[in-house]
């Protein structure tokens, strides 16, 4: 178990380093609000769609394709989204419900979940995790686009406007354009892929620096109650319910552990980028990311310990 603790810290520590770098750069006035606006827009419109495209194109969709596992993961994701949304109606002011819901269900599978699954289960964890991640990316972005546009200031919530917001979302365009390329294994020029990887590698550090640049003690205090509530949903209640459900349906061993790692991943940095793109409460989104990333060091290891103690993995 000590090895898992060290692995979790090794994954989350660089995330915190980039967050605090953003705080420091803002204090030193090396970056300012106009830079954060421009950089966030670049991530949302350019680097993150490119990253999603590359991750799907490079994944072998025919490897470790397990319909039951994929089906349950998608079901658990949609159910978590629905529960978080219902809870937000009771818990949050209307304007913050979209941010709260996205923070409570959207996990950082590509960084934390996949790395831990690979560390624990080797090639099997990598192949299964890559397929799960590639498929759920579309779910995350569609569901987030719906709930954010319903509650975003000045946005229309009629069916046509929602469909337009979904299919013009750069993240969803990146995913949809990658699926046929990956499925039919369309060869792309080597130089194009290398250039795209250079561009995509800016995504996580730039997004985390922007998140750090928006953090302040005042904004953390203002959003603390909602951020903690959404974080508890993301890191404790929803993973617990979904993991128990997976066990009840017969999942055991590596499959159950991978489901837990993915469902219990901290909130993805892309939630901040999408919140800022729709002029939502991005300070709340940033606070949820910070809290869930810190909590992952504890909840991931406690969850795995309990699963092993019960003899389920």
């Amino acid at each position: 178990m000590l090895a898992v603790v060290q692995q979790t810290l090794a994954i989350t520590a660089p995330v915190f380093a980039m967050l605090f770098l953003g705080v420091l750069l803002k204090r030193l006035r090396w970056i300012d609000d106009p830079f954060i606006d421009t950089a966030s827009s670049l991530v949302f419109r350019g680097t993150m769609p490119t990253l999603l495209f590359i991750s799907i194109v490079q994944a072998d969709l025919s490897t470790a394709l397990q319909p039951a596992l994929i089906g349950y993961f998608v079901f658990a994701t949609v159910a978590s989204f629905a529960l978080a949304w219902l809870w937000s109606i009771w818990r949050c002011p209307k304007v913050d419900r979209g941010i709260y819901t996205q923070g409570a269900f959207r996990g950082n599978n590509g960084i934390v979940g996949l790395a831990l699954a690979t560390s624990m289960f080797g090639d099997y964890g990598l192949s299964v995790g890559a397929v799960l991640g590639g498929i759920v990316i579309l779910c995350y972005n569609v569901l987030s686009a719906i709930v954010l546009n319903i509650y975003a200031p000045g946005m229309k919530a009629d069916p046509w406007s929602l469909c337009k917001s979904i299919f013009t979302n750069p993240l969803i365009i990146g995913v949809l354009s990658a699926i046929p390329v990956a499925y039919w294994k369309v060869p792309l020029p080597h130089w194009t892929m290398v250039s795209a990887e250079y561009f995509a590698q800016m995504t996580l550090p730039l997004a985390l620096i922007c998140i750090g640049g928006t953090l302040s003690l005042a904004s953390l205090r203002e959003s603390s109650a909602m951020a903690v509530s959404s974080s508890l949903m993301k890191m404790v209640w929803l993973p617990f319910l979904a993991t128990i459900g997976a066990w009840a349906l017969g999942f055991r061993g590596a499959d159950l552990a991978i489901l837990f790692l993915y469902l219990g991943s901290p909130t993805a940095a892309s939630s901040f980028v999408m919140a800022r793109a729709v002029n939502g409460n991005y300070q709340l989104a940033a606070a949820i990311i910070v809290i869930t990333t810190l909590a992952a060091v504890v909840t991931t290891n406690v969850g795995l310990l309990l699963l092993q103690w019960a003899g389920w993995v």
Side-chain angles (χ1 to χ4, degrees):
M1 187 53 64
L2 179 60
V4 179
V5 174
Q6 292 173 338
Q7 180 68 17
T8 309
L9 286 171
I11 295 166
T12 56
V15 173
F16 276 108
M18 297 307 296
L19 286 170
F20 288 123
L21 178 61
V23 174
L24 178 62
L25 293 177
K26 184 70 179 295
R27 290 289 181 90
L28 293 174
R29 298 184 179 179
W30 289 10
I31 63 175
D32 53 15
D33 289 333
F35 171 86
I36 293 172
D37 289 338
T38 302
S40 297
S41 179
L42 174 62
V43 171
F44 178 68
R45 298 176 183 277
T47 67
M48 190 166 287
T50 304
L51 179 64
L52 296 176
F53 179 90
I54 291 174
S55 65
I56 293 174
V57 167
Q58 292 181 338
D60 185 358
L61 299 182
S62 63
T63 302
L65 195 62
Q66 302 183 39
L69 190 67
I70 294 170
Y72 181 78
F73 188 49
V74 171
F75 167 78
T77 298
V78 175
S80 297
F81 166 77
L83 287 173
W85 190 356
L86 288 173
W87 186 259
S88 75
I89 294 173
W90 176 79
R91 186 72 178 80
C92 301
K94 186 175 182 179
V95 71
D96 291 332
R97 289 174 187 169
I99 308 299
Y100 181 101
T101 302
Q102 182 184 220
F105 92 96
R106 185 172 190 158
N108 191 349
N109 300 150
I111 303 299
V112 179
L114 182 59
L116 287 174
T118 304
S119 174
M120 292 186 66
F121 302 107
D123 291 339
Y124 182 76
L126 176 62
S127 58
V128 172
V131 171
L132 285 179
I135 290 173
V136 83
I137 282 171
L138 188 59
C139 294
Y140 280 158
N141 286 296
V142 170
L143 295 174
S144 294
I146 291 172
V147 75
L148 287 174
N149 279 276
I150 287 175
Y151 295 112
M155 300 292 286
K156 296 180 180 180
D158 60 274
W160 168 249
S161 298
L162 286 177
C163 289
K164 184 179 179 181
S165 69
I166 290 170
F167 290 106
T168 58
N169 185 301
L171 305 184
I172 295 174
I173 292 173
V175 173
L176 292 178
S177 60
I179 291 173
V181 177
Y183 183 79
W184 283 296
K185 298 180 181 179
V186 178
L188 297 175
H190 177 70
W191 68 267
T192 304
M193 292 299 294
V194 173
S195 299
E197 287 175 359
Y198 287 160
F199 187 56
Q201 284 170 2
M202 292 191 293
T203 300
L204 191 61
L206 198 55
L208 292 173
I209 287 172
C210 290
I211 292 169
T214 65
L215 289 176
S216 67
L217 290 177
S219 65
L220 287 174
R221 281 195 297 267
E222 289 173 5
S223 60
S224 61
M226 280 191 294
V228 169
S229 176
S230 181
S231 299
L232 284 172
M233 290 278 287
K234 181 69 194 75
M235 302 307 296
V236 179
W237 306 123
L238 294 178
F240 172 77
L241 292 173
T243 304
I244 291 296
W247 172 82
L249 290 174
F251 291 101
R252 298 289 187 277
D255 290 345
L256 183 62
I258 291 171
L259 283 171
F260 166 74
L261 290 172
Y262 269 55
L263 294 164
S265 293
T267 302
S270 53
S271 63
F272 169 84
V273 177
M274 286 192 69
R276 196 161 186 116
V278 298
N279 298 315
N281 185 352
Y282 53 83
Q283 291 96 342
L284 174 59
I288 294 170
I289 292 167
V290 172
I291 294 170
T292 55
T293 303
L294 180 61
V297 178
V298 177
T299 57
T300 299
N301 293 287
V302 170
L304 288 173
L305 181 63
L306 290 174
L307 289 174
Q308 291 175 348
W309 174 77
W312 295 354
V313 300

